[in-house]
Amino acid sequence: MDNYSQIFHGTAFTSGEEKEVIILKDHLFCVDEKGMIQNVVAPEDDLYDTIIQEQEGKERFHRLKKGQYILPGFVDLHIHAPQWAQSGTALDLPLNDWLHTYTFPLESRFSDINFAEEVYSDLVATLLANGTTTALYFATIHKEASFLLAEICAKKGQRGLVGKVVADDPEQNPAYYRDPDTKTALAETEEFIVAVKELAKATKQGVYPVVTPRFIPSCSDEALQGLGELAAKYDTHIQSHCSESDWEHSYVKERFHKNDAFALHGFGLLQEKSVMAHCNFLEDDDVDLFAKTGTAIGHCPLSNAYFANGVIPISRFSKNGVEIGLGTDISAGATPSLYDNAKQAVISSRMLEDGVDTTLPPDKRGVADSRLTMNEAFYYATAGGGESLSLPVGRLEKDYAWDVQIVDTKAKENKLPIFDANEDLYDIFQKIMYHVKPVNIAEVWVQGEKVVSR
Ligand code: GUN
Ligand code: FE
């Protein structure tokens, strides 16, 4: 028992199956020196009283206060770190105009390492304060600034998966913001992968390099092919955007006479550690290909409301065996919070189910069986994100990392509407998902290390 480096006593919520939230009332969570959960002990277990008697009062024993609850840390499965600098603005144009008018000019500024330092430090701290313990980041085309983002994650204790973006096609990318040529793009990606793998050796929670073609329209065939080969050579994660909007989806069809999914697969970019953002327009055979290759969808419901030209049928894709996690897609989604995105996932799915055009009769308006519950949205923000990345995070179970947020429902700046001393714990879970703000997130732990304390 003495090899536990931290022991937590409290009530926790974690996912079982997608629709199921498991409530662990007054449990003990025993964490080893590597930051992994070694034991979860229920009050009826033999060891329970022994552990409390032996450990209570010691520095390593943490008894949660009344009104506090443990949730797994969130996994943000799709976020553009540089775009934090324009979050909340620039939401008036469709995707391709938005990229050229606002986003490429902003991202080009990350050649300035001081600007990158300022934006990235603020973003990583903000995400942690919002309960996000793992994030899958797009950086920019700049190798140095992308590596700096990985270093900032390493230093602040967040599990960061970071991609140097590749955008080499001179037809689609402006001269002021593109890789100088395909060869350089691939060489710099390889150098970036090697450097981040080296950095990871000294980082307890892990940092990971990610092969990151921005999206098919940004990249030449040679770049896509080379990136697939680099991912295989170094066994890295892969991320991109896939079938996001009407414009993007039809651009790929015109260029390759197939959908994004099959085009990406042809370049070796769909595999177990691939995460594709959006995927709103997947057809049945694309969905099967995702399921077969283990490719995950990074679902970004708030971003989709602005840029996707439709609502993604997540419930159907999930029933067909595709792994799904939740992303903010900053700045197309204008919030650093996965709580906000969990709510939006539920809201958008309800609008898909009911439909939106009131001139149509009810039976013609919507798409049946589309709704998601908050339990499913919570799953996507936690366990689903971990599975998508093939990492042991997002669940409060033995052999998972101690990545958690300790939520205080009694924080005086935002007291949750809980009035009954014996309120049903499932109702408390739902109130947490709908009402928590960063002021309620009292502590955040990643890999057994405390990284936020209010
Ligand atoms: N497709 C290519 N780049 C981007 C981006 O930055 N945001 C979104 N939402 N879609 C993209
Ligand atoms: Fe995106």
Side-chain angles (χ1 to χ4, degrees), residues 210-216 219-232 236-241 260-276 289-290 293-296:
V210 184
V211 160
T212 307
R214 180 171 206 122
F215 62 161
I216 288 176
C219 295
S220 65
D221 290 15
E222 297 72 33
L224 294 164
Q225 182 67 34
L227 289 173
E229 286 163 13
L230 281 176
T236 69
H237 290 81
I238 299 171
Q239 62 181 343
S240 193
H241 298 87
D260 289 49
F262 279 87
L264 291 162
H265 189 50
F267 294 115
L269 293 166
L270 298 194
Q271 41 100 319
E272 187 52 47
K273 290 197 292 185
S274 297
V275 175
M276 293 297 144
L289 183 62
F290 265 53
T293 55
T295 301

Side-chain angles (χ1 to χ4, degrees), residues 284-304:
D284 288 348
D285 50 353
D286 303 327
V287 173
D288 292 345
L289 183 62
F290 265 53
K292 198 181 82 192
T293 55
T295 301
I297 295 176
H299 175 37
C300 308
L302 198 53
S303 164
N304 285 352

Side-chain angles (χ1 to χ4, degrees), residues 71 74 339 342-343 374 378 429-435:
L71 271 70
F74 288 150
Y339 285 98
K343 279 178 266 192
M374 185 49 94
F378 172 66
F429 163 75
Q430 294 175 84
K431 288 178 177 176
I432 286 173
M433 291 307 293
Y434 275 93
H435 289 290

Side-chain angles (χ1 to χ4, degrees), residues 78-80 83 95 98 138 214 240-241 244 277-278 300 303 328-332:
H78 182 63
I79 176 165
H80 297 264
Q83 295 175 23
L95 182 61
W98 173 82
F138 277 58
R214 180 171 206 122
S240 193
H241 298 87
E244 177 177 5
H278 308 300
C300 308
S303 164
T328 57
D329 195 20
I330 280 175
S331 65

